[in-house]
PDB file of all heavy atoms in Angstrom:
ATOM      1  N   ALA A   1     109.932 118.215  98.407  1.00  0.00           N
ATOM      2  CA  ALA A   1     108.570 117.956  97.876  1.00  0.00           C
ATOM      3  C   ALA A   1     108.576 116.681  96.971  1.00  0.00           C
ATOM      4  O   ALA A   1     107.589 115.949  96.953  1.00  0.00           O
ATOM      5  CB  ALA A   1     108.085 119.181  97.169  1.00  0.00           C
ATOM      6  N   THR A   2     109.613 116.580  96.207  1.00  0.00           N
ATOM      7  CA  THR A   2     109.650 115.399  95.235  1.00  0.00           C
ATOM      8  C   THR A   2     109.782 114.157  95.982  1.00  0.00           C
ATOM      9  O   THR A   2     109.158 113.104  95.653  1.00  0.00           O
ATOM     10  CB  THR A   2     110.799 115.606  94.238  1.00  0.00           C
ATOM     11  OG1 THR A   2     111.998 115.931  94.908  1.00  0.00           O
ATOM     12  CG2 THR A   2     110.435 116.812  93.336  1.00  0.00           C
ATOM     13  N   LEU A   3     110.624 114.034  97.024  1.00  0.00           N
ATOM     14  CA  LEU A   3     110.785 112.876  97.797  1.00  0.00           C
ATOM     15  C   LEU A   3     109.493 112.463  98.567  1.00  0.00           C
ATOM     16  O   LEU A   3     109.142 111.328  98.699  1.00  0.00           O
ATOM     17  CB  LEU A   3     112.047 112.976  98.701  1.00  0.00           C
ATOM     18  CG  LEU A   3     113.333 113.088  97.990  1.00  0.00           C
ATOM     19  CD1 LEU A   3     114.473 113.162  99.042  1.00  0.00           C
ATOM     20  CD2 LEU A   3     113.587 111.898  97.062  1.00  0.00           C
ATOM     21  N   GLN A   4     108.799 113.513  99.128  1.00  0.00           N
ATOM     22  CA  GLN A   4     107.551 113.314  99.785  1.00  0.00           C
ATOM     23  C   GLN A   4     106.573 112.669  98.838  1.00  0.00           C
ATOM     24  O   GLN A   4     105.800 111.794  99.175  1.00  0.00           O
ATOM     25  CB  GLN A   4     107.038 114.614 100.370  1.00  0.00           C
ATOM     26  CG  GLN A   4     107.781 115.066 101.658  1.00  0.00           C
ATOM     27  CD  GLN A   4     107.104 116.310 102.267  1.00  0.00           C
ATOM     28  OE1 GLN A   4     106.809 117.273 101.549  1.00  0.00           O
ATOM     29  NE2 GLN A   4     106.873 116.258 103.527  1.00  0.00           N
ATOM     30  N   LEU A   5     106.491 113.260  97.581  1.00  0.00           N
ATOM     31  CA  LEU A   5     105.544 112.710  96.619  1.00  0.00           C
ATOM     32  C   LEU A   5     105.906 111.257  96.328  1.00  0.00           C
ATOM     33  O   LEU A   5     104.950 110.479  96.269  1.00  0.00           O
ATOM     34  CB  LEU A   5     105.631 113.558  95.368  1.00  0.00           C
ATOM     35  CG  LEU A   5     104.765 113.069  94.165  1.00  0.00           C
ATOM     36  CD1 LEU A   5     103.316 113.222  94.498  1.00  0.00           C
ATOM     37  CD2 LEU A   5     105.101 113.816  92.925  1.00  0.00           C
ATOM     38  N   ASN A   6     107.140 110.921  96.133  1.00  0.00           N
ATOM     39  CA  ASN A   6     107.520 109.585  95.816  1.00  0.00           C
ATOM     40  C   ASN A   6     107.101 108.605  96.906  1.00  0.00           C
ATOM     41  O   ASN A   6     106.585 107.500  96.672  1.00  0.00           O
ATOM     42  CB  ASN A   6     108.992 109.475  95.584  1.00  0.00           C
ATOM     43  CG  ASN A   6     109.435 110.059  94.283  1.00  0.00           C
ATOM     44  OD1 ASN A   6     108.632 110.416  93.416  1.00  0.00           O
ATOM     45  ND2 ASN A   6     110.742 110.396  94.237  1.00  0.00           N
ATOM     46  N   ALA A   7     107.199 109.081  98.149  1.00  0.00           N
ATOM     47  CA  ALA A   7     106.849 108.248  99.293  1.00  0.00           C
ATOM     48  C   ALA A   7     105.278 108.007  99.275  1.00  0.00           C
ATOM     49  O   ALA A   7     104.853 106.892  99.535  1.00  0.00           O
ATOM     50  CB  ALA A   7     107.266 108.880 100.609  1.00  0.00           C
ATOM     51  N   ARG A   8     104.538 109.040  98.973  1.00  0.00           N
ATOM     52  CA  ARG A   8     103.110 108.903  98.943  1.00  0.00           C
ATOM     53  C   ARG A   8     102.640 107.986  97.777  1.00  0.00           C
ATOM     54  O   ARG A   8     101.745 107.157  97.986  1.00  0.00           O
ATOM     55  CB  ARG A   8     102.419 110.275  98.797  1.00  0.00           C
ATOM     56  CG  ARG A   8     100.910 110.252  98.709  1.00  0.00           C
ATOM     57  CD  ARG A   8     100.328 109.623  99.918  1.00  0.00           C
ATOM     58  NE  ARG A   8      98.879 109.584  99.912  1.00  0.00           N
ATOM     59  CZ  ARG A   8      98.052 108.798 100.562  1.00  0.00           C
ATOM     60  NH1 ARG A   8      98.659 107.830 101.397  1.00  0.00           N
ATOM     61  NH2 ARG A   8      96.777 108.851 100.493  1.00  0.00           N
ATOM     62  N   VAL A   9     103.338 108.134  96.644  1.00  0.00           N
ATOM     63  CA  VAL A   9     102.933 107.224  95.530  1.00  0.00           C
ATOM     64  C   VAL A   9     103.206 105.804  95.935  1.00  0.00           C
ATOM     65  O   VAL A   9     102.402 104.912  95.622  1.00  0.00           O
ATOM     66  CB  VAL A   9     103.860 107.585  94.328  1.00  0.00           C
ATOM     67  CG1 VAL A   9     103.734 106.546  93.251  1.00  0.00           C
ATOM     68  CG2 VAL A   9     103.313 108.966  93.744  1.00  0.00           C
ATOM     69  N   ASN A  10     104.258 105.492  96.556  1.00  0.00           N
ATOM     70  CA  ASN A  10     104.619 104.135  96.963  1.00  0.00           C
ATOM     71  C   ASN A  10     103.612 103.612  97.985  1.00  0.00           C
ATOM     72  O   ASN A  10     103.233 102.433  97.904  1.00  0.00           O
ATOM     73  CB  ASN A  10     106.024 104.120  97.552  1.00  0.00           C
ATOM     74  CG  ASN A  10     107.116 104.311  96.556  1.00  0.00           C
ATOM     75  OD1 ASN A  10     106.887 103.999  95.442  1.00  0.00           O
ATOM     76  ND2 ASN A  10     108.302 104.734  96.956  1.00  0.00           N
ATOM     77  N   GLU A  11     103.143 104.457  98.810  1.00  0.00           N
ATOM     78  CA  GLU A  11     102.048 104.050  99.793  1.00  0.00           C
ATOM     79  C   GLU A  11     100.802 103.680  99.036  1.00  0.00           C
ATOM     80  O   GLU A  11     100.164 102.682  99.323  1.00  0.00           O
ATOM     81  CB  GLU A  11     101.762 105.167 100.747  1.00  0.00           C
ATOM     82  CG  GLU A  11     102.834 105.499 101.834  1.00  0.00           C
ATOM     83  CD  GLU A  11     102.491 106.645 102.654  1.00  0.00           C
ATOM     84  OE1 GLU A  11     101.348 107.185 102.504  1.00  0.00           O
ATOM     85  OE2 GLU A  11     103.329 107.036 103.464  1.00  0.00           O
ATOM     86  N   LEU A  12     100.359 104.501  98.119  1.00  0.00           N
ATOM     87  CA  LEU A  12      99.189 104.194  97.390  1.00  0.00           C
ATOM     88  C   LEU A  12      99.293 102.940  96.521  1.00  0.00           C
ATOM     89  O   LEU A  12      98.327 102.149  96.388  1.00  0.00           O
ATOM     90  CB  LEU A  12      98.737 105.426  96.513  1.00  0.00           C
ATOM     91  CG  LEU A  12      98.391 106.654  97.286  1.00  0.00           C
ATOM     92  CD1 LEU A  12      98.157 107.826  96.331  1.00  0.00           C
ATOM     93  CD2 LEU A  12      97.103 106.426  98.090  1.00  0.00           C
ATOM     94  N   ARG A  13     100.408 102.785  95.971  1.00  0.00           N
ATOM     95  CA  ARG A  13     100.659 101.541  95.159  1.00  0.00           C
ATOM     96  C   ARG A  13     100.595 100.274  96.040  1.00  0.00           C
ATOM     97  O   ARG A  13     100.115  99.315  95.582  1.00  0.00           O
ATOM     98  CB  ARG A  13     102.034 101.633  94.400  1.00  0.00           C
ATOM     99  CG  ARG A  13     101.977 102.592  93.182  1.00  0.00           C
ATOM    100  CD  ARG A  13     103.392 102.783  92.652  1.00  0.00           C
ATOM    101  NE  ARG A  13     103.355 103.539  91.358  1.00  0.00           N
ATOM    102  CZ  ARG A  13     104.434 104.057  90.793  1.00  0.00           C
ATOM    103  NH1 ARG A  13     105.591 103.867  91.298  1.00  0.00           N
ATOM    104  NH2 ARG A  13     104.275 104.774  89.640  1.00  0.00           N
ATOM    105  N   ALA A  14     101.137 100.394  97.243  1.00  0.00           N
ATOM    106  CA  ALA A  14     101.132  99.300  98.165  1.00  0.00           C
ATOM    107  C   ALA A  14      99.693  98.896  98.559  1.00  0.00           C
ATOM    108  O   ALA A  14      99.389  97.830  98.955  1.00  0.00           O
ATOM    109  CB  ALA A  14     101.898  99.603  99.365  1.00  0.00           C
ATOM    110  N   GLN A  15      98.731  99.927  98.403  1.00  0.00           N
ATOM    111  CA  GLN A  15      97.328  99.676  98.643  1.00  0.00           C
ATOM    112  C   GLN A  15      96.628  99.141  97.484  1.00  0.00           C
ATOM    113  O   GLN A  15      95.397  98.968  97.504  1.00  0.00           O
ATOM    114  CB  GLN A  15      96.699 100.993  99.186  1.00  0.00           C
ATOM    115  CG  GLN A  15      97.255 101.565 100.467  1.00  0.00           C
ATOM    116  CD  GLN A  15      96.755 102.907 100.783  1.00  0.00           C
ATOM    117  OE1 GLN A  15      95.822 103.482 100.128  1.00  0.00           O
ATOM    118  NE2 GLN A  15      97.369 103.601 101.743  1.00  0.00           N
ATOM    119  N   GLY A  16      97.375  98.965  96.366  1.00  0.00           N
ATOM    120  CA  GLY A  16      96.753  98.403  95.208  1.00  0.00           C
ATOM    121  C   GLY A  16      96.279  99.384  94.106  1.00  0.00           C
ATOM    122  O   GLY A  16      95.721  98.961  93.122  1.00  0.00           O
ATOM    123  N   GLN A  17      96.575 100.693  94.301  1.00  0.00           N
ATOM    124  CA  GLN A  17      96.142 101.624  93.354  1.00  0.00           C
ATOM    125  C   GLN A  17      97.129 101.701  92.174  1.00  0.00           C
ATOM    126  O   GLN A  17      98.370 101.702  92.419  1.00  0.00           O
ATOM    127  CB  GLN A  17      95.991 103.043  93.941  1.00  0.00           C
ATOM    128  CG  GLN A  17      94.879 103.108  94.991  1.00  0.00           C
ATOM    129  CD  GLN A  17      94.561 104.503  95.430  1.00  0.00           C
ATOM    130  OE1 GLN A  17      94.550 105.447  94.577  1.00  0.00           O
ATOM    131  NE2 GLN A  17      94.302 104.796  96.657  1.00  0.00           N
ATOM    132  N   ASP A  18      96.631 101.919  90.987  1.00  0.00           N
ATOM    133  CA  ASP A  18      97.465 102.009  89.776  1.00  0.00           C
ATOM    134  C   ASP A  18      97.844 103.460  89.562  1.00  0.00           C
ATOM    135  O   ASP A  18      97.238 104.120  88.780  1.00  0.00           O
ATOM    136  CB  ASP A  18      96.762 101.432  88.578  1.00  0.00           C
ATOM    137  CG  ASP A  18      97.558 101.562  87.296  1.00  0.00           C
ATOM    138  OD1 ASP A  18      98.748 101.601  87.401  1.00  0.00           O
ATOM    139  OD2 ASP A  18      96.935 101.620  86.176  1.00  0.00           O
ATOM    140  N   ILE A  19      98.816 103.922  90.293  1.00  0.00           N
ATOM    141  CA  ILE A  19      99.308 105.309  90.231  1.00  0.00           C
ATOM    142  C   ILE A  19     100.344 105.426  89.159  1.00  0.00           C
ATOM    143  O   ILE A  19     101.341 104.635  89.069  1.00  0.00           O
ATOM    144  CB  ILE A  19      99.850 105.756  91.532  1.00  0.00           C
ATOM    145  CG1 ILE A  19      98.843 105.595  92.682  1.00  0.00           C
ATOM    146  CG2 ILE A  19     100.273 107.268  91.450  1.00  0.00           C
ATOM    147  CD1 ILE A  19      97.577 106.400  92.549  1.00  0.00           C
ATOM    148  N   ILE A  20     100.204 106.413  88.239  1.00  0.00           N
ATOM    149  CA  ILE A  20     101.261 106.706  87.267  1.00  0.00           C
ATOM    150  C   ILE A  20     101.941 107.911  87.785  1.00  0.00           C
ATOM    151  O   ILE A  20     101.371 108.963  87.907  1.00  0.00           O
ATOM    152  CB  ILE A  20     100.707 106.916  85.868  1.00  0.00           C
ATOM    153  CG1 ILE A  20      99.907 105.726  85.320  1.00  0.00           C
ATOM    154  CG2 ILE A  20     101.845 107.270  84.888  1.00  0.00           C
ATOM    155  CD1 ILE A  20      99.256 105.930  83.964  1.00  0.00           C
ATOM    156  N   SER A  21     103.223 107.741  88.152  1.00  0.00           N
ATOM    157  CA  SER A  21     104.039 108.908  88.642  1.00  0.00           C
ATOM    158  C   SER A  21     104.692 109.614  87.512  1.00  0.00           C
ATOM    159  O   SER A  21     105.488 109.084  86.784  1.00  0.00           O
ATOM    160  CB  SER A  21     105.036 108.388  89.685  1.00  0.00           C
ATOM    161  OG  SER A  21     105.740 109.545  90.136  1.00  0.00           O
ATOM    162  N   LEU A  22     104.374 110.940  87.475  1.00  0.00           N
ATOM    163  CA  LEU A  22     105.045 111.853  86.595  1.00  0.00           C
ATOM    164  C   LEU A  22     105.985 112.761  87.400  1.00  0.00           C
ATOM    165  O   LEU A  22     106.330 113.890  86.981  1.00  0.00           O
ATOM    166  CB  LEU A  22     104.043 112.670  85.726  1.00  0.00           C
ATOM    167  CG  LEU A  22     103.032 111.920  84.894  1.00  0.00           C
ATOM    168  CD1 LEU A  22     102.100 112.813  84.202  1.00  0.00           C
ATOM    169  CD2 LEU A  22     103.810 111.062  83.841  1.00  0.00           C
ATOM    170  N   GLY A  23     106.307 112.290  88.561  1.00  0.00           N
ATOM    171  CA  GLY A  23     107.158 113.116  89.459  1.00  0.00           C
ATOM    172  C   GLY A  23     108.600 112.633  89.486  1.00  0.00           C
ATOM    173  O   GLY A  23     109.380 113.231  90.218  1.00  0.00           O
ATOM    174  N   ALA A  24     108.900 111.617  88.798  1.00  0.00           N
ATOM    175  CA  ALA A  24     110.275 110.976  88.891  1.00  0.00           C
ATOM    176  C   ALA A  24     111.350 111.920  88.486  1.00  0.00           C
ATOM    177  O   ALA A  24     111.256 112.636  87.441  1.00  0.00           O
ATOM    178  CB  ALA A  24     110.315 109.699  88.040  1.00  0.00           C
ATOM    179  N   GLY A  25     112.349 111.971  89.362  1.00  0.00           N
ATOM    180  CA  GLY A  25     113.545 112.777  89.010  1.00  0.00           C
ATOM    181  C   GLY A  25     114.737 111.889  88.645  1.00  0.00           C
ATOM    182  O   GLY A  25     115.885 112.263  88.844  1.00  0.00           O
ATOM    183  N   GLU A  26     114.413 110.744  88.036  1.00  0.00           N
ATOM    184  CA  GLU A  26     115.506 109.805  87.706  1.00  0.00           C
ATOM    185  C   GLU A  26     115.059 109.074  86.417  1.00  0.00           C
ATOM    186  O   GLU A  26     113.872 108.871  86.189  1.00  0.00           O
ATOM    187  CB  GLU A  26     115.776 108.798  88.848  1.00  0.00           C
ATOM    188  CG  GLU A  26     114.683 107.911  89.129  1.00  0.00           C
ATOM    189  CD  GLU A  26     115.048 106.905  90.236  1.00  0.00           C
ATOM    190  OE1 GLU A  26     116.247 106.617  90.407  1.00  0.00           O
ATOM    191  OE2 GLU A  26     114.124 106.369  90.879  1.00  0.00           O
ATOM    192  N   PRO A  27     116.087 108.662  85.618  1.00  0.00           N
ATOM    193  CA  PRO A  27     115.730 107.847  84.396  1.00  0.00           C
ATOM    194  C   PRO A  27     115.088 106.554  84.837  1.00  0.00           C
ATOM    195  O   PRO A  27     115.345 105.994  85.906  1.00  0.00           O
ATOM    196  CB  PRO A  27     117.106 107.588  83.816  1.00  0.00           C
ATOM    197  CG  PRO A  27     118.012 108.694  84.364  1.00  0.00           C
ATOM    198  CD  PRO A  27     117.507 108.982  85.753  1.00  0.00           C
ATOM    199  N   ASP A  28     114.224 106.103  83.935  1.00  0.00           N
ATOM    200  CA  ASP A  28     113.525 104.782  84.232  1.00  0.00           C
ATOM    201  C   ASP A  28     114.353 103.647  83.591  1.00  0.00           C
ATOM    202  O   ASP A  28     113.908 102.506  83.667  1.00  0.00           O
ATOM    203  CB  ASP A  28     112.106 104.777  83.639  1.00  0.00           C
ATOM    204  CG  ASP A  28     112.094 105.096  82.075  1.00  0.00           C
ATOM    205  OD1 ASP A  28     112.803 106.041  81.683  1.00  0.00           O
ATOM    206  OD2 ASP A  28     111.340 104.452  81.378  1.00  0.00           O
ATOM    207  N   PHE A  29     115.522 103.910  83.054  1.00  0.00           N
ATOM    208  CA  PHE A  29     116.399 102.891  82.466  1.00  0.00           C
ATOM    209  C   PHE A  29     117.274 102.259  83.604  1.00  0.00           C
ATOM    210  O   PHE A  29     117.486 102.865  84.629  1.00  0.00           O
ATOM    211  CB  PHE A  29     117.296 103.465  81.396  1.00  0.00           C
ATOM    212  CG  PHE A  29     116.548 104.093  80.227  1.00  0.00           C
ATOM    213  CD1 PHE A  29     116.435 105.455  80.189  1.00  0.00           C
ATOM    214  CD2 PHE A  29     116.036 103.319  79.256  1.00  0.00           C
ATOM    215  CE1 PHE A  29     115.780 106.110  79.169  1.00  0.00           C
ATOM    216  CE2 PHE A  29     115.371 103.842  78.178  1.00  0.00           C
ATOM    217  CZ  PHE A  29     115.249 105.248  78.133  1.00  0.00           C
ATOM    218  N   ASP A  30     117.530 100.942  83.375  1.00  0.00           N
ATOM    219  CA  ASP A  30     118.551 100.360  84.254  1.00  0.00           C
ATOM    220  C   ASP A  30     119.955 100.908  83.910  1.00  0.00           C
ATOM    221  O   ASP A  30     120.229 101.255  82.881  1.00  0.00           O
ATOM    222  CB  ASP A  30     118.547  98.807  84.083  1.00  0.00           C
ATOM    223  CG  ASP A  30     117.277  98.166  84.513  1.00  0.00           C
ATOM    224  OD1 ASP A  30     116.667  98.649  85.491  1.00  0.00           O
ATOM    225  OD2 ASP A  30     116.876  97.104  83.954  1.00  0.00           O
ATOM    226  N   THR A  31     120.816 100.856  84.980  1.00  0.00           N
ATOM    227  CA  THR A  31     122.197 101.201  84.763  1.00  0.00           C
ATOM    228  C   THR A  31     122.784 100.245  83.704  1.00  0.00           C
ATOM    229  O   THR A  31     122.571  98.982  83.810  1.00  0.00           O
ATOM    230  CB  THR A  31     123.012 101.052  86.046  1.00  0.00           C
ATOM    231  OG1 THR A  31     122.442 101.904  87.068  1.00  0.00           O
ATOM    232  CG2 THR A  31     124.490 101.454  85.819  1.00  0.00           C
ATOM    233  N   PRO A  32     123.507 100.714  82.668  1.00  0.00           N
ATOM    234  CA  PRO A  32     123.958  99.819  81.662  1.00  0.00           C
ATOM    235  C   PRO A  32     124.803  98.692  82.199  1.00  0.00           C
ATOM    236  O   PRO A  32     125.507  98.790  83.250  1.00  0.00           O
ATOM    237  CB  PRO A  32     124.861 100.715  80.801  1.00  0.00           C
ATOM    238  CG  PRO A  32     124.229 102.074  80.943  1.00  0.00           C
ATOM    239  CD  PRO A  32     123.722 102.123  82.369  1.00  0.00           C
ATOM    240  N   LEU A  33     124.736  97.577  81.554  1.00  0.00           N
ATOM    241  CA  LEU A  33     125.263  96.318  82.053  1.00  0.00           C
ATOM    242  C   LEU A  33     126.780  96.346  82.254  1.00  0.00           C
ATOM    243  O   LEU A  33     127.201  95.818  83.292  1.00  0.00           O
ATOM    244  CB  LEU A  33     124.908  95.182  81.080  1.00  0.00           C
ATOM    245  CG  LEU A  33     125.421  93.733  81.496  1.00  0.00           C
ATOM    246  CD1 LEU A  33     124.771  93.289  82.831  1.00  0.00           C
ATOM    247  CD2 LEU A  33     124.999  92.724  80.362  1.00  0.00           C
ATOM    248  N   HIS A  34     127.504  96.980  81.359  1.00  0.00           N
ATOM    249  CA  HIS A  34     128.931  97.006  81.524  1.00  0.00           C
ATOM    250  C   HIS A  34     129.386  97.720  82.745  1.00  0.00           C
ATOM    251  O   HIS A  34     130.371  97.454  83.368  1.00  0.00           O
ATOM    252  CB  HIS A  34     129.617  97.522  80.283  1.00  0.00           C
ATOM    253  CG  HIS A  34     129.422  98.970  79.984  1.00  0.00           C
ATOM    254  ND1 HIS A  34     128.181  99.478  79.485  1.00  0.00           N
ATOM    255  CD2 HIS A  34     130.186 100.060  80.114  1.00  0.00           C
ATOM    256  CE1 HIS A  34     128.279 100.761  79.364  1.00  0.00           C
ATOM    257  NE2 HIS A  34     129.490 101.156  79.724  1.00  0.00           N
TER     258      HIS A  34
END
């Protein structure tokens, strides 16, 4: 269900909609540089 939601969010964003996803199962940080 979570991966399906992420796919739908990406589709809507590609259509220009400003979707805020609260479904993320991952940190929004970049992997540390080192």
Side-chain angles (χ1 to χ4, degrees):
T2 50
L3 294 182
Q4 283 186 313
L5 176 66
N6 290 344
R8 179 56 179 158
V9 168
N10 289 335
E11 289 176 4
L12 294 174
R13 284 174 174 167
Q15 297 170 12
Q17 295 193 39
D18 178 26
I19 306 295
I20 301 178
S21 178
L22 301 177
E26 63 178 338
D28 57 316
F29 300 101
D30 291 331
T31 303
L33 182 59
H34 67 286

